[in-house]
Amino acid sequence: MAQPNWIASQRFKGVRWYKHDTRKYGVRFDRCFGIRFTHAGKRYESVLGWESEDWTESNAYAKRKEYLVNAKAGAGPRTRKEELEAQLSQELERAAERKLEKARERRLNTTFFDFFTESYAPDARHSKKPETFRKEEEHVRNWIGPVVGELAIKDIALDHIKIIRATLAKTGRSPRTQQYVFRTLTSVWNAARDAGLVDGLCPTKHTSFKLPKFNNERERFLTREEEKKLFAVLRERSEQVHDMALVALYCGLRFSEIARLRWGRVGEDSIRIIEGKHEKARTVPMTTPVMNLFASMERHSDNSLVFPDSMGRVMQQVPSTFKRAVDDVGLNADVESSKQRFSFHGLRHTYGSRLAQAGADLFRIQKLMGHSNPATTQRYAHLQNENLVQATKAMEQFLEDDGPSGKVIPFARNVPEN
């Protein structure tokens, strides 16, 4: 088209229009409407649209009035171009919001399997011990996944948890295994909650959900004679394993604490434990055998491991040498109960038992052994009670041997007169 020939409206100020050269709208040529106004010395012009698109002189005038108000207020579109750009921007924002909402909806519908494999497992594989994570994968694969793997995490309910429990019980899994399976499920749930996929506590925490209790307290500890035999065999087989066992027996350290022990944490008469089981630091006094041991060893840099593996790294599990020595001595011969079988952890248990037998109170035993829960230390309470019984019997023996002079008058109750 050639340059349009604008015609000013006779009825509406600032409104104008021009005719299309060929296209008609009804019996007349289609008209294109535009507006213009001046504010603060600046002219604003806009082409609005065609009469065939429902534009008229009156609504063109209404639009001109709207733009003029915006210009005076300094807010909102002042031209058709600005209005269309604003509409486009709003539409893009709405589209982005719709896309985000769909993404949120998809995320909230993340299945247990997807979250475990894509989010939980990559982090747990690096942050947890290899054996711990292997067990978690096993729990998901064998017990949790078949029931809730394809469900959105947010849809996992108490009924699903009960099905898992029933399956475990039906297949004869021990109470301890059941506890571990649901500990894994709770860990995954808590990670999903941190990621914003679920709210509230895991269904395993419902007050109506119960698991069979189990007692995992080991009752086995070394006698002095068994200690001599075991350590003689250990010395023959491996000096390092012998020394690690000595630290466990005479300082009560866990295997993991000994494996991660560095020279900078070994003092003259105490050991500083930084990486304990519950991430709580504690200081453990050395006994004379342990002080003599460290004094005889070649000391390296503060950051060097005291007991590294053959590659100079932190040991991940108890050396098989220790287990073979236990078998050689026969500590587990004819022992059927798992609680009575002796393991490396039994050295630590022996340490706690000897503390109790020597008269140490439970609070001190708890602090020395790094128990986070006082209830764990209660396993040694019966040994203290045995000492009390022995002390009472010793007093009775003293009285019998050195009894008081004079006649002992028996105590008699006052009997009311009839």
Side-chain angles (χ1 to χ4, degrees), residues 362-385:
L362 294 181
F363 176 78
R364 287 179 172 82
I365 296 175
Q366 177 189 349
K367 294 303 179 183
L368 287 169
M369 300 189 71
H371 291 155
S372 62
N373 188 343
T376 307
T377 319
Q378 286 295 322
R379 71 180 67 181
Y380 302 111
H382 72 282
L383 298 172
Q384 290 183 321
N385 293 338

PDB file of all heavy atoms in Angstrom, residues 362-385:
ATOM      1  N   LEU A 362      28.474 -45.304  86.125  1.00  0.00           N
ATOM      2  CA  LEU A 362      27.990 -45.381  84.738  1.00  0.00           C
ATOM      3  C   LEU A 362      28.222 -44.086  83.966  1.00  0.00           C
ATOM      4  O   LEU A 362      28.441 -44.108  82.752  1.00  0.00           O
ATOM      5  CB  LEU A 362      26.504 -45.744  84.725  1.00  0.00           C
ATOM      6  CG  LEU A 362      26.163 -47.146  85.241  1.00  0.00           C
ATOM      7  CD1 LEU A 362      24.670 -47.396  85.151  1.00  0.00           C
ATOM      8  CD2 LEU A 362      26.925 -48.210  84.468  1.00  0.00           C
ATOM      9  N   PHE A 363      28.164 -42.952  84.636  1.00  0.00           N
ATOM     10  CA  PHE A 363      28.378 -41.677  83.951  1.00  0.00           C
ATOM     11  C   PHE A 363      29.793 -41.625  83.378  1.00  0.00           C
ATOM     12  O   PHE A 363      30.000 -41.224  82.225  1.00  0.00           O
ATOM     13  CB  PHE A 363      28.144 -40.512  84.913  1.00  0.00           C
ATOM     14  CG  PHE A 363      28.431 -39.168  84.296  1.00  0.00           C
ATOM     15  CD1 PHE A 363      27.512 -38.578  83.432  1.00  0.00           C
ATOM     16  CD2 PHE A 363      29.622 -38.493  84.559  1.00  0.00           C
ATOM     17  CE1 PHE A 363      27.775 -37.340  82.853  1.00  0.00           C
ATOM     18  CE2 PHE A 363      29.887 -37.272  83.985  1.00  0.00           C
ATOM     19  CZ  PHE A 363      28.959 -36.686  83.132  1.00  0.00           C
ATOM     20  N   ARG A 364      30.774 -42.019  84.180  1.00  0.00           N
ATOM     21  CA  ARG A 364      32.168 -41.994  83.703  1.00  0.00           C
ATOM     22  C   ARG A 364      32.391 -43.027  82.592  1.00  0.00           C
ATOM     23  O   ARG A 364      33.110 -42.768  81.632  1.00  0.00           O
ATOM     24  CB  ARG A 364      33.125 -42.234  84.874  1.00  0.00           C
ATOM     25  CG  ARG A 364      33.234 -41.031  85.813  1.00  0.00           C
ATOM     26  CD  ARG A 364      34.174 -41.314  86.973  1.00  0.00           C
ATOM     27  NE  ARG A 364      34.422 -40.112  87.754  1.00  0.00           N
ATOM     28  CZ  ARG A 364      33.595 -39.654  88.689  1.00  0.00           C
ATOM     29  NH1 ARG A 364      32.465 -40.301  88.934  1.00  0.00           N
ATOM     30  NH2 ARG A 364      33.869 -38.551  89.359  1.00  0.00           N
ATOM     31  N   ILE A 365      31.765 -44.182  82.735  1.00  0.00           N
ATOM     32  CA  ILE A 365      31.886 -45.185  81.681  1.00  0.00           C
ATOM     33  C   ILE A 365      31.309 -44.654  80.373  1.00  0.00           C
ATOM     34  O   ILE A 365      31.876 -44.829  79.291  1.00  0.00           O
ATOM     35  CB  ILE A 365      31.173 -46.491  82.092  1.00  0.00           C
ATOM     36  CG1 ILE A 365      31.859 -47.094  83.315  1.00  0.00           C
ATOM     37  CG2 ILE A 365      31.156 -47.487  80.940  1.00  0.00           C
ATOM     38  CD1 ILE A 365      31.147 -48.329  83.868  1.00  0.00           C
ATOM     39  N   GLN A 366      30.166 -43.980  80.468  1.00  0.00           N
ATOM     40  CA  GLN A 366      29.535 -43.406  79.277  1.00  0.00           C
ATOM     41  C   GLN A 366      30.470 -42.417  78.587  1.00  0.00           C
ATOM     42  O   GLN A 366      30.634 -42.441  77.357  1.00  0.00           O
ATOM     43  CB  GLN A 366      28.228 -42.699  79.655  1.00  0.00           C
ATOM     44  CG  GLN A 366      27.550 -42.022  78.465  1.00  0.00           C
ATOM     45  CD  GLN A 366      26.381 -41.145  78.892  1.00  0.00           C
ATOM     46  OE1 GLN A 366      25.948 -41.199  80.040  1.00  0.00           O
ATOM     47  NE2 GLN A 366      25.877 -40.343  77.972  1.00  0.00           N
ATOM     48  N   LYS A 367      31.098 -41.528  79.360  1.00  0.00           N
ATOM     49  CA  LYS A 367      31.974 -40.515  78.785  1.00  0.00           C
ATOM     50  C   LYS A 367      33.229 -41.135  78.183  1.00  0.00           C
ATOM     51  O   LYS A 367      33.694 -40.735  77.108  1.00  0.00           O
ATOM     52  CB  LYS A 367      32.354 -39.483  79.852  1.00  0.00           C
ATOM     53  CG  LYS A 367      31.180 -38.647  80.359  1.00  0.00           C
ATOM     54  CD  LYS A 367      30.498 -37.915  79.216  1.00  0.00           C
ATOM     55  CE  LYS A 367      29.315 -37.085  79.701  1.00  0.00           C
ATOM     56  NZ  LYS A 367      28.614 -36.424  78.574  1.00  0.00           N
ATOM     57  N   LEU A 368      33.800 -42.113  78.866  1.00  0.00           N
ATOM     58  CA  LEU A 368      35.023 -42.743  78.369  1.00  0.00           C
ATOM     59  C   LEU A 368      34.774 -43.516  77.079  1.00  0.00           C
ATOM     60  O   LEU A 368      35.615 -43.520  76.172  1.00  0.00           O
ATOM     61  CB  LEU A 368      35.592 -43.685  79.436  1.00  0.00           C
ATOM     62  CG  LEU A 368      36.258 -43.018  80.638  1.00  0.00           C
ATOM     63  CD1 LEU A 368      36.526 -44.032  81.735  1.00  0.00           C
ATOM     64  CD2 LEU A 368      37.570 -42.339  80.219  1.00  0.00           C
ATOM     65  N   MET A 369      33.600 -44.143  76.965  1.00  0.00           N
ATOM     66  CA  MET A 369      33.326 -44.976  75.801  1.00  0.00           C
ATOM     67  C   MET A 369      32.625 -44.228  74.682  1.00  0.00           C
ATOM     68  O   MET A 369      32.465 -44.746  73.578  1.00  0.00           O
ATOM     69  CB  MET A 369      32.502 -46.200  76.226  1.00  0.00           C
ATOM     70  CG  MET A 369      33.207 -47.070  77.254  1.00  0.00           C
ATOM     71  SD  MET A 369      32.376 -48.637  77.560  1.00  0.00           S
ATOM     72  CE  MET A 369      32.707 -49.507  76.031  1.00  0.00           C
ATOM     73  N   GLY A 370      32.203 -43.007  74.956  1.00  0.00           N
ATOM     74  CA  GLY A 370      31.581 -42.195  73.907  1.00  0.00           C
ATOM     75  C   GLY A 370      30.183 -42.628  73.556  1.00  0.00           C
ATOM     76  O   GLY A 370      29.746 -42.494  72.408  1.00  0.00           O
ATOM     77  N   HIS A 371      29.429 -43.141  74.537  1.00  0.00           N
ATOM     78  CA  HIS A 371      28.032 -43.505  74.289  1.00  0.00           C
ATOM     79  C   HIS A 371      27.184 -42.239  74.216  1.00  0.00           C
ATOM     80  O   HIS A 371      27.255 -41.395  75.118  1.00  0.00           O
ATOM     81  CB  HIS A 371      27.502 -44.397  75.418  1.00  0.00           C
ATOM     82  CG  HIS A 371      28.107 -45.754  75.443  1.00  0.00           C
ATOM     83  ND1 HIS A 371      28.191 -46.527  76.587  1.00  0.00           N
ATOM     84  CD2 HIS A 371      28.685 -46.495  74.456  1.00  0.00           C
ATOM     85  CE1 HIS A 371      28.780 -47.682  76.299  1.00  0.00           C
ATOM     86  NE2 HIS A 371      29.097 -47.679  75.023  1.00  0.00           N
ATOM     87  N   SER A 372      26.388 -42.096  73.175  1.00  0.00           N
ATOM     88  CA  SER A 372      25.517 -40.922  73.072  1.00  0.00           C
ATOM     89  C   SER A 372      24.273 -41.087  73.928  1.00  0.00           C
ATOM     90  O   SER A 372      23.665 -40.107  74.360  1.00  0.00           O
ATOM     91  CB  SER A 372      25.104 -40.692  71.609  1.00  0.00           C
ATOM     92  OG  SER A 372      24.359 -41.797  71.118  1.00  0.00           O
ATOM     93  N   ASN A 373      23.886 -42.326  74.185  1.00  0.00           N
ATOM     94  CA  ASN A 373      22.668 -42.606  74.947  1.00  0.00           C
ATOM     95  C   ASN A 373      23.043 -43.322  76.250  1.00  0.00           C
ATOM     96  O   ASN A 373      23.662 -44.392  76.221  1.00  0.00           O
ATOM     97  CB  ASN A 373      21.730 -43.482  74.117  1.00  0.00           C
ATOM     98  CG  ASN A 373      20.368 -43.636  74.770  1.00  0.00           C
ATOM     99  OD1 ASN A 373      20.195 -43.373  75.957  1.00  0.00           O
ATOM    100  ND2 ASN A 373      19.391 -44.061  73.986  1.00  0.00           N
ATOM    101  N   PRO A 374      22.668 -42.761  77.387  1.00  0.00           N
ATOM    102  CA  PRO A 374      22.999 -43.404  78.664  1.00  0.00           C
ATOM    103  C   PRO A 374      22.459 -44.831  78.763  1.00  0.00           C
ATOM    104  O   PRO A 374      23.027 -45.660  79.478  1.00  0.00           O
ATOM    105  CB  PRO A 374      22.329 -42.498  79.706  1.00  0.00           C
ATOM    106  CG  PRO A 374      22.202 -41.168  79.029  1.00  0.00           C
ATOM    107  CD  PRO A 374      21.967 -41.472  77.585  1.00  0.00           C
ATOM    108  N   ALA A 375      21.373 -45.113  78.029  1.00  0.00           N
ATOM    109  CA  ALA A 375      20.792 -46.454  78.091  1.00  0.00           C
ATOM    110  C   ALA A 375      21.773 -47.500  77.591  1.00  0.00           C
ATOM    111  O   ALA A 375      21.751 -48.660  78.041  1.00  0.00           O
ATOM    112  CB  ALA A 375      19.506 -46.505  77.263  1.00  0.00           C
ATOM    113  N   THR A 376      22.656 -47.120  76.652  1.00  0.00           N
ATOM    114  CA  THR A 376      23.644 -48.063  76.134  1.00  0.00           C
ATOM    115  C   THR A 376      24.595 -48.496  77.233  1.00  0.00           C
ATOM    116  O   THR A 376      25.038 -49.652  77.272  1.00  0.00           O
ATOM    117  CB  THR A 376      24.437 -47.417  74.984  1.00  0.00           C
ATOM    118  OG1 THR A 376      23.524 -46.917  74.010  1.00  0.00           O
ATOM    119  CG2 THR A 376      25.370 -48.419  74.335  1.00  0.00           C
ATOM    120  N   THR A 377      24.898 -47.572  78.123  1.00  0.00           N
ATOM    121  CA  THR A 377      25.856 -47.867  79.199  1.00  0.00           C
ATOM    122  C   THR A 377      25.241 -48.753  80.270  1.00  0.00           C
ATOM    123  O   THR A 377      25.965 -49.368  81.065  1.00  0.00           O
ATOM    124  CB  THR A 377      26.360 -46.549  79.823  1.00  0.00           C
ATOM    125  OG1 THR A 377      26.597 -45.591  78.789  1.00  0.00           O
ATOM    126  CG2 THR A 377      27.652 -46.754  80.590  1.00  0.00           C
ATOM    127  N   GLN A 378      23.916 -48.837  80.309  1.00  0.00           N
ATOM    128  CA  GLN A 378      23.242 -49.608  81.352  1.00  0.00           C
ATOM    129  C   GLN A 378      23.592 -51.090  81.303  1.00  0.00           C
ATOM    130  O   GLN A 378      23.392 -51.810  82.282  1.00  0.00           O
ATOM    131  CB  GLN A 378      21.717 -49.442  81.222  1.00  0.00           C
ATOM    132  CG  GLN A 378      21.191 -48.093  81.664  1.00  0.00           C
ATOM    133  CD  GLN A 378      21.393 -47.871  83.160  1.00  0.00           C
ATOM    134  OE1 GLN A 378      21.261 -48.790  83.964  1.00  0.00           O
ATOM    135  NE2 GLN A 378      21.712 -46.641  83.538  1.00  0.00           N
ATOM    136  N   ARG A 379      24.123 -51.564  80.145  1.00  0.00           N
ATOM    137  CA  ARG A 379      24.467 -52.978  80.044  1.00  0.00           C
ATOM    138  C   ARG A 379      25.535 -53.373  81.069  1.00  0.00           C
ATOM    139  O   ARG A 379      25.716 -54.549  81.364  1.00  0.00           O
ATOM    140  CB  ARG A 379      24.952 -53.307  78.631  1.00  0.00           C
ATOM    141  CG  ARG A 379      26.324 -52.727  78.296  1.00  0.00           C
ATOM    142  CD  ARG A 379      26.748 -53.096  76.892  1.00  0.00           C
ATOM    143  NE  ARG A 379      25.908 -52.464  75.907  1.00  0.00           N
ATOM    144  CZ  ARG A 379      26.045 -52.637  74.591  1.00  0.00           C
ATOM    145  NH1 ARG A 379      26.975 -53.465  74.150  1.00  0.00           N
ATOM    146  NH2 ARG A 379      25.263 -52.024  73.749  1.00  0.00           N
ATOM    147  N   TYR A 380      26.257 -52.358  81.589  1.00  0.00           N
ATOM    148  CA  TYR A 380      27.320 -52.650  82.550  1.00  0.00           C
ATOM    149  C   TYR A 380      26.847 -52.523  84.001  1.00  0.00           C
ATOM    150  O   TYR A 380      27.620 -52.752  84.928  1.00  0.00           O
ATOM    151  CB  TYR A 380      28.513 -51.718  82.317  1.00  0.00           C
ATOM    152  CG  TYR A 380      29.065 -51.822  80.915  1.00  0.00           C
ATOM    153  CD1 TYR A 380      28.912 -50.765  80.020  1.00  0.00           C
ATOM    154  CD2 TYR A 380      29.715 -52.970  80.486  1.00  0.00           C
ATOM    155  CE1 TYR A 380      29.405 -50.869  78.714  1.00  0.00           C
ATOM    156  CE2 TYR A 380      30.209 -53.069  79.185  1.00  0.00           C
ATOM    157  CZ  TYR A 380      30.043 -52.015  78.300  1.00  0.00           C
ATOM    158  OH  TYR A 380      30.522 -52.121  77.029  1.00  0.00           O
ATOM    159  N   ALA A 381      25.584 -52.138  84.175  1.00  0.00           N
ATOM    160  CA  ALA A 381      25.085 -51.898  85.528  1.00  0.00           C
ATOM    161  C   ALA A 381      25.102 -53.170  86.369  1.00  0.00           C
ATOM    162  O   ALA A 381      25.387 -53.140  87.567  1.00  0.00           O
ATOM    163  CB  ALA A 381      23.672 -51.321  85.468  1.00  0.00           C
ATOM    164  N   HIS A 382      24.802 -54.336  85.732  1.00  0.00           N
ATOM    165  CA  HIS A 382      24.735 -55.579  86.507  1.00  0.00           C
ATOM    166  C   HIS A 382      26.103 -55.944  87.072  1.00  0.00           C
ATOM    167  O   HIS A 382      26.205 -56.593  88.122  1.00  0.00           O
ATOM    168  CB  HIS A 382      24.198 -56.716  85.638  1.00  0.00           C
ATOM    169  CG  HIS A 382      25.165 -57.185  84.595  1.00  0.00           C
ATOM    170  ND1 HIS A 382      25.392 -56.491  83.424  1.00  0.00           N
ATOM    171  CD2 HIS A 382      25.977 -58.283  84.555  1.00  0.00           C
ATOM    172  CE1 HIS A 382      26.293 -57.141  82.705  1.00  0.00           C
ATOM    173  NE2 HIS A 382      26.661 -58.221  83.358  1.00  0.00           N
ATOM    174  N   LEU A 383      27.173 -55.518  86.393  1.00  0.00           N
ATOM    175  CA  LEU A 383      28.517 -55.803  86.911  1.00  0.00           C
ATOM    176  C   LEU A 383      28.796 -54.994  88.166  1.00  0.00           C
ATOM    177  O   LEU A 383      29.464 -55.469  89.091  1.00  0.00           O
ATOM    178  CB  LEU A 383      29.563 -55.497  85.828  1.00  0.00           C
ATOM    179  CG  LEU A 383      29.444 -56.351  84.563  1.00  0.00           C
ATOM    180  CD1 LEU A 383      30.401 -55.840  83.495  1.00  0.00           C
ATOM    181  CD2 LEU A 383      29.742 -57.810  84.883  1.00  0.00           C
ATOM    182  N   GLN A 384      28.265 -53.746  88.164  1.00  0.00           N
ATOM    183  CA  GLN A 384      28.395 -52.946  89.387  1.00  0.00           C
ATOM    184  C   GLN A 384      27.617 -53.587  90.523  1.00  0.00           C
ATOM    185  O   GLN A 384      28.066 -53.628  91.674  1.00  0.00           O
ATOM    186  CB  GLN A 384      27.881 -51.523  89.138  1.00  0.00           C
ATOM    187  CG  GLN A 384      28.760 -50.693  88.212  1.00  0.00           C
ATOM    188  CD  GLN A 384      28.222 -49.286  88.070  1.00  0.00           C
ATOM    189  OE1 GLN A 384      27.022 -49.082  87.997  1.00  0.00           O
ATOM    190  NE2 GLN A 384      29.107 -48.318  88.031  1.00  0.00           N
ATOM    191  N   ASN A 385      26.434 -54.098  90.200  1.00  0.00           N
ATOM    192  CA  ASN A 385      25.615 -54.751  91.228  1.00  0.00           C
ATOM    193  C   ASN A 385      26.316 -55.975  91.800  1.00  0.00           C
ATOM    194  O   ASN A 385      26.224 -56.260  92.989  1.00  0.00           O
ATOM    195  CB  ASN A 385      24.259 -55.148  90.633  1.00  0.00           C
ATOM    196  CG  ASN A 385      23.429 -53.936  90.268  1.00  0.00           C
ATOM    197  OD1 ASN A 385      23.645 -52.855  90.802  1.00  0.00           O
ATOM    198  ND2 ASN A 385      22.488 -54.109  89.353  1.00  0.00           N
TER     199      ASN A 385
END
